Amino acid sequence: MRTLVWLLRALLFFTLFAFALNNSHDAVVRWFFGHEWRAPQVIIVLLAFGLGAAFGVLAMVPAWWRHRRAAQRIEPLPTAPTPAADAPPPLSAPFAAHQDGV
């Protein structure tokens, strides 16, 4: 299974590498007021992906902080009482004999 995962990773890497090689020609990003930026197309795509991922993570930070504060405010659940020494042993599950699901 581990070998299969590494093969899939290698396939993904070489596919993206071939994409980068095939799209190495210059592209132009036109900004406002006549400004433009020329760079290889794969760099522009990678930069757009990275900025989008960073924006998504930063957008989630307030929610993460809110959930963390809420989790810290919650008191831990009380522990289950320990069984007495003279208590009878626990009964098995009522349908334990039906292992095949019937």
Side-chain angles (χ1 to χ4, degrees):
M1 187 66 177
R2 203 174 271 186
T3 305
L4 181 64
V5 169
W6 277 106
L7 286 174
L8 287 175
R9 288 178 184 171
L11 177 69
L12 179 65
F13 171 77
F14 286 117
T15 302
L16 292 175
F17 187 69
F19 173 77
L21 289 178
N22 287 332
N23 292 298
S24 61
H25 59 279
D26 280 348
V28 178
V29 178
R30 290 187 174 83
W31 300 96
F32 298 110
F33 308 114
H35 295 291
E36 62 183 33
W37 177 50
R38 293 180 184 272
Q41 183 178 6
V42 70
I43 299 296
I44 294 172
V45 170
L46 181 64
L47 187 64
F49 174 77
L51 289 174
F55 180 76
V57 168
L58 289 175
M60 288 298 299
V61 167
W64 287 337
W65 285 344
R66 194 174 328 119
H67 287 293
R68 184 174 175 173
R69 280 194 310 266
Q72 288 174 348
R73 272 187 264 133
I74 296 175
E75 295 179 16
L77 296 174
T79 59
T82 56
D86 59 346
L91 299 174
S92 63
F95 299 105
H98 301 288
Q99 296 295 327
D100 61 353
V102 178

